[in-house]
Amino acid sequence: MSNHLQGKTLVVTGAASGFGRLVSERAVALGANVLMADINAEALEQASSSLGAAALAVPTDVSDLPQMQQLAGAGLAQFGRLDVWINNAGIMPLAFFKDHMEAAAAWHRCIDINLKGVLNGMIAAYDPMIDAGQGQIVNLSSIYSNFPVVGAAVYGATKAAVNFLSESFRVESQGRIKVTIVRPTGIPTTGLATGVVNPEAVVGILGQNAAQYGQLMQGMMAGELPEAYTSDESIEYFALAPEHLADQIIYAINQPAGVSIGDITVRASGDSYIL
């Protein structure tokens, strides 16, 4: 496959860990420059330090539009261009409505990061990309955006809103800015689950497979699962590693200017999710 990332500049939010860090590392390896943004300045510096001059760490609160605009300005000042903006930062405070006393603050923060943060990124990227005549927005959605289920009302709503924002933006900017929606499935090792308020709320995405999934997760944590469930060479592979999704995000942006990967979902072939 041709390398279309050489010399380009990417902005990646939530870049201190998980998908954001992996995508940043892969992009730099392909010759791109990366602005790595995250609210955790210390973790961000650690993540960027091994990538040399091709990576610029910019501590940023995605929920604050002026900070996102400053992020765009830092990219233009450092690298002279903004080619791809990846809105990756997000949290997942799963909870039932009955949990509102414990969950309300996290739900409001979820709206600030998952919805307003994505909107802020699109606003910050718009003028530089329109001025340049081309660009690409990549928005991290979720399979939770596919259908409303119990336990994920707020999280799912923010991700459904990401889909609406993305498609509206795509239609308005056709021929100038490409838009890619990425819908990750559950990937246990990214740390996203640490934001879950009520662990029982995962039942919405698992349905009739909840008991089986629980057993598989217990076995994985204990290191006792048969290789058929843990090997990505097996059709029964049940939990995607974050590297697989990072590779597909790179695939979606490593395309000629005239080719747009509009919507991508990557699953473990044996996963338990019903969405």
Side-chain angles (χ1 to χ4, degrees):
M1 182 176 179
S2 299
N3 180 9
H4 298 283
L5 287 178
Q6 180 73 42
K8 289 190 174 179
T9 298
L10 281 65
V11 175
V12 184
T13 68
S17 60
F19 305 136
R21 181 171 183 170
L22 290 170
V23 169
S24 299
E25 292 170 349
R26 282 157 169 72
V28 168
L30 288 170
N33 299 309
V34 181
L35 276 86
M36 300 175 67
D38 202 287
I39 198 169
N40 187 330
E42 182 178 353
L44 183 64
E45 186 60 36
Q46 291 175 352
S48 66
S49 60
S50 63
L51 300 182
L56 177 65
V58 184
T60 306
D61 179 353
V62 300
S63 69
D64 185 275
L65 178 57
Q67 289 191 42
M68 292 289 264
Q69 292 169 323
Q70 290 170 10
L71 174 62
L76 293 171
Q78 181 77 8
F79 301 117
R81 57 192 292 172
L82 293 179
D83 298 287
V84 181
W85 189 295
I86 303 175
N87 287 307
N88 166 71
I91 60 173
M92 188 176 69
L94 302 182
F96 302 108
F97 278 106
K98 67 181 181 181
D99 302 317
H100 61 87
M101 292 293 291
E102 297 79 22
W107 285 341
H108 283 280
R109 184 164 176 261
C110 179
I111 292 168
D112 286 342
I113 296 172
N114 294 12
L115 175 51
K116 294 180 182 178
V118 169
L119 175 60
N120 289 341
M122 295 165 75
I123 291 170
Y126 184 81
D127 287 345
M129 290 184 179
I130 289 295
D131 290 344
Q134 65 178 21
Q136 183 172 5
I137 298 290
V138 180
N139 288 335
L140 272 287
S141 180
S142 169
I143 57 172
Y144 269 111
S145 71
N146 294 349
F147 196 83
V149 294
V150 299
V154 175
Y155 178 70
T158 64
K159 294 304 186 177
V162 167
N163 298 348
F164 270 69
L165 287 173
S166 301
E167 284 298 289
S168 295
F169 192 97
R170 177 188 65 82
V171 173
E172 183 176 332
S173 60
Q174 278 176 325
R176 295 171 295 173
I177 302 176
K178 301 192 289 188
V179 180
T180 300
I181 301 169
V182 181
R183 306 179 196 232
T185 61
I187 302 180
T189 56
T190 61
L192 191 61
T194 59
V196 171
V197 176
N198 184 345
E200 294 182 4
V202 298
V203 69
I205 201 174
L206 295 167
Q208 70 273 14
N209 299 323
Q212 175 192 13
Y213 179 82
Q215 292 171 357
L216 290 171
M217 285 299 296
Q218 288 178 0
M220 185 178 77
M221 290 186 290
E224 298 173 351
L225 278 184
E227 186 179 359
Y229 293 110
T230 60
S231 171
D232 59 10
E233 296 293 334
S234 169
I235 195 68
E236 296 178 273
Y237 185 51
F238 96 101
L240 208 64
E243 291 78 7
H244 292 300
L245 186 68
D247 287 341
Q248 298 311 310
I249 293 173
I250 290 294
Y251 171 76
I253 62 179
N254 191 14
Q255 299 291 330
V259 177
S260 179
I261 307 298
D263 198 325
I264 185 167
T265 300
V266 186
R267 297 182 181 274
S269 55
D271 76 21
S272 301
Y273 309 117
I274 61 175
L275 297 179

